[in-house]
Amino acid sequence: MGASAEAVTVSSEDCPEPARTADGFQAASVPSGWELLAAGERGALRGGVVTADGALWALREEGQGDLTLRRWKDGRWEAVAGPPGMKPGALAASPGGGIWVAQPGEGMWSDTGTWKVGVREGGGWRTLALDVPDQKAGGGSADAHGGWMTFSTVAVHWDGANWKRMNLPAGQEDVGGFSDVDAYRLSGSAEEIWAVPLTGATAVRLRDGVSQTVQFTLRIDAKEAIHDTQGGLFYPQAVAVVGADDRWLLGTAAFGTHYLDENEDTVAGRLVAVRHTRGEWTCTWGPFHREQFDGAFVDAVPDGDGGLWAATAHGTLWHLGDGRWTRQRLPADEGAEPNVNDLVVGGDQIYALGWVASQGRFHGALWRAG
């Protein structure tokens, strides 16, 4: 990896918390503009990527963590045999215009690991191997985006000739004051990748061969926290790069508290959208939830018109367009509950991948923005 830029800290001075009754989103609920294309096979869809030929690929998960390859073709999903001897863990578009299938870690529970990458650029697969020294899998799942792959606290990139490795921050603090899982999700654009932690307040920005650590210390008022020393943190969860100098980091500001009705610990917090443009950070704060706050953005992508789409896990799509936020629910059959794993941009199409839950059954689902 190239040189690291000086770390950046985004503090409460950059983004002070407004009154808890304030709602900077003021997102109006509007009818859904999304179309449900398919909800068939049992399980869930995630890890979507669109290759240079316009094909949409995804991973299908059905229990036990096993993943299989699917490709959207002629209005239906088709099963595709993966690279021989590999268990898919993440997908990415290859620099050659095809598809990568990554399997981080034979022996990934030891101090070293060998990552396998299956490359398909045409009709067949070829396999690459990457030795990753000092690889300790802290948990979580693999992810890939824009030629980068990550597992635990290691990110790697193939530049066409060599593998580049970068270590990601370990031991991120969780809302409970600790974290036993070190894992990252990759977000952003092909030119600007962000590694955002599954839990934690430190993200890493990768651009032009330079890595930059960004620490968020937007602490919310913790006077209702369980412990006096437990301050609130901002957790970045998804990034949308909407212009050359315009990016949004979406996440939550949260801290632990006590659920008074049930006498149990719970979480309080609020949604936050952090924008960086022209060298400045600004924040949009949602309303405060005192108990049972489960707000979490799972992904965000540009809408192609200077705005963005963002998804929360339980089937709500947020749209920022012309400086105005709106919300809409993904369509599903009566009695079914939509859930989103990620958003995918391919050409002028935007897809949402996830599943629908109905009567205790889960079926992989695909939606498309209208």
Side-chain angles (χ1 to χ4, degrees):
M1 188 63 200
S4 295
E6 184 178 353
V8 171
T9 298
V10 184
S11 70
S12 57
E13 295 179 358
D14 298 295
C15 298
E17 183 189 6
R20 290 186 165 178
T21 55
D23 180 6
F25 289 91
Q26 297 183 355
S29 295
V30 298
S32 179
W34 289 72
E35 174 188 5
L36 177 61
L37 296 180
E41 288 185 306
R42 182 175 298 180
L45 295 170
R46 66 176 179 86
V49 62
V50 175
T51 51
D53 61 359
L56 172 64
W57 293 69
L59 294 170
R60 173 177 170 259
E61 181 176 7
E62 184 187 351
Q64 307 302 318
D66 290 333
L67 302 172
T68 54
L69 289 177
R70 293 294 185 269
R71 179 173 57 190
W72 181 253
K73 184 178 181 181
D74 298 329
R76 64 181 181 87
W77 288 108
E78 64 173 4
V80 179
M86 282 184 58
K87 293 183 178 180
L91 294 179
S94 76
I99 189 77
W100 278 3
V101 176
Q103 176 190 315
E106 283 189 2
M108 64 187 177
W109 302 111
S110 64
D111 289 345
T112 62
T114 300
W115 295 20
K116 289 184 178 180
V117 180
V119 180
R120 178 175 172 140
E121 294 169 347
W125 293 98
R126 59 186 176 93
T127 303
L128 305 174
L130 168 65
D131 290 328
V132 183
D134 303 320
Q135 164 67 14
K136 292 182 175 66
S141 58
D143 200 13
H145 188 79
W148 283 87
M149 297 180 294
T150 184
F151 188 84
S152 185
T153 56
V154 174
V156 293
H157 176 253
W158 175 254
D159 64 5
N162 300 289
W163 289 104
K164 304 292 186 180
R165 169 185 167 135
M166 186 191 65
N167 293 328
L168 301 171
Q172 295 249 20
E173 183 181 5
D174 195 2
V175 74
F178 64 92
S179 176
D180 60 356
V181 174
D182 282 316
Y184 285 80
R185 181 186 178 99
L186 297 177
S187 192
S189 67
E191 295 77 24
E192 181 178 324
I193 303 294
W194 284 75
V196 291
L198 297 190
T199 58
T202 301
V204 177
R205 175 180 180 257
L206 310 171
R207 186 184 177 98
D208 299 328
V210 175
S211 64
Q212 184 177 50
T213 300
V214 183
Q215 169 72 40
F216 295 89
T217 60
L218 309 184
R219 294 184 177 271
I220 62 176
D221 185 354
K223 64 183 180 183
E224 296 178 54
I226 301 169
H227 307 294
D228 292 339
T229 58
Q230 184 179 340
L233 292 173
F234 171 74
Y235 299 92
Q237 296 163 333
V239 178
V241 180
V242 301
D245 184 31
D246 195 359
R247 60 201 49 82
W248 289 81
L249 286 83
L250 305 176
T252 61
F255 63 78
T257 184
H258 210 68
Y259 184 37
L260 301 180
D261 292 345
E262 301 294 336
N263 195 33
E264 295 179 351
D265 294 347
T266 184
V267 175
R270 57 201 302 181
L271 295 175
V272 184
V274 183
R275 186 186 189 188
H276 184 263
T277 184
R278 294 186 292 275
E280 295 184 353
W281 298 90
T282 56
C283 293
T284 301
W285 295 74
F288 178 73
H289 297 264
R290 187 167 181 263
E291 298 172 335
Q292 295 184 317
F293 174 63
D294 63 355
F297 288 103
V298 297
D299 207 0
V301 294
D303 67 357
D305 196 28
L308 64 88
W309 284 100
T312 51
H314 302 298
T316 299
L317 273 295
W318 296 65
H319 184 236
L320 174 64
D322 298 324
R324 174 174 171 262
W325 289 91
T326 56
R327 288 179 301 183
Q328 50 190 271
R329 290 281 292 170
L330 286 174
D333 292 338
E334 186 176 355
E337 185 71 19
N339 296 266
V340 180
N341 279 326
D342 56 8
L343 301 175
V344 184
V345 176
D348 59 355
Q349 302 292 330
I350 301 177
Y351 300 97
L353 284 80
W355 75 97
V356 292
S358 178
Q359 298 180 345
R361 297 182 178 181
F362 303 89
H363 298 276
L366 172 67
W367 294 268
R368 182 176 60 197

